[in-house]
């Protein structure tokens, strides 16, 4: 019974992350397309891209820490390299946006 509840919770979590990432990704694409005609939307498009990166990082951490089964070291080195590359790229994109928007 507990396993079924965990599977339902996991599917709700996956659906939530999917909606967040897909929705912010579509909004980013739409805003970038609008910003080609009206440059005033470029800042908003960058903000949505940063939010998409933030949601991606949160999803990757959730998958690794809470849904990953087995030992992380048992996964192939190529998978771990790709995972860390995507995580680092998304993290750096969000940090760069925050630094340019709020600090500089």
């Amino acid at each position: 019974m507990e396993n079924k509840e965990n599977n339902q919770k996991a599917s709700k979590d996956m659906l939530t992350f999917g909606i967040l990432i897909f929705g912010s990704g579509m909004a980013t694409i739409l805003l970038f397309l609008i910003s080609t005609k009206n440059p005033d939307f470029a800042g908003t498009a960058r903000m949505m891209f940063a939010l998409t990166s933030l949601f991606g990082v949160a999803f990757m951490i959730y998958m690794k820490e809470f849904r990953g089964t087995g030992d992380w070291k048992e996964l192939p080195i190529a998978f771990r390299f790709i995972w860390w590359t995507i995580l680092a790229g998304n993290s750096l994109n969000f940090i760069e946006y925050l630094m340019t928007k709020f600090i500089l």
Side-chain angles (χ1 to χ4, degrees):
M1 184 72 169
E2 185 177 320
N3 192 17
K4 185 178 179 182
E5 290 175 7
N6 284 340
N7 287 340
Q8 289 176 347
K9 184 181 181 317
S11 65
K12 287 180 185 177
D13 295 341
M14 297 291 282
L15 182 64
T16 302
F17 276 118
I19 290 171
L20 285 174
I21 293 172
F22 182 74
S24 63
M26 293 307 292
T28 301
I29 291 169
L30 179 67
L31 288 169
F32 271 124
L33 290 174
I34 291 172
S35 70
T36 59
K37 301 288 184 196
N38 186 355
D40 295 335
F41 286 99
T44 308
R46 285 196 68 228
M47 180 191 70
M48 286 305 297
F49 187 58
L51 281 177
T52 304
S53 294
L54 178 66
F55 295 148
V57 167
F59 175 71
M60 291 179 76
I61 291 172
Y62 171 78
M63 288 302 292
K64 180 181 181 291
E65 296 297 327
F66 299 109
R67 292 292 153 209
T69 58
D71 190 17
W72 178 253
K73 301 279 185 193
E74 293 176 3
L75 294 173
I77 189 77
F79 174 80
R80 287 185 284 160
F81 177 77
I82 292 169
W83 191 90
W84 281 109
T85 303
I86 293 171
L87 181 73
N90 283 334
S91 300
L92 291 175
N93 177 51
F94 183 72
I95 291 168
E96 188 268 336
Y97 174 77
L98 285 178
M99 287 176 53
T100 56
K101 184 69 175 177
F102 297 110
I103 295 175
L104 298 177

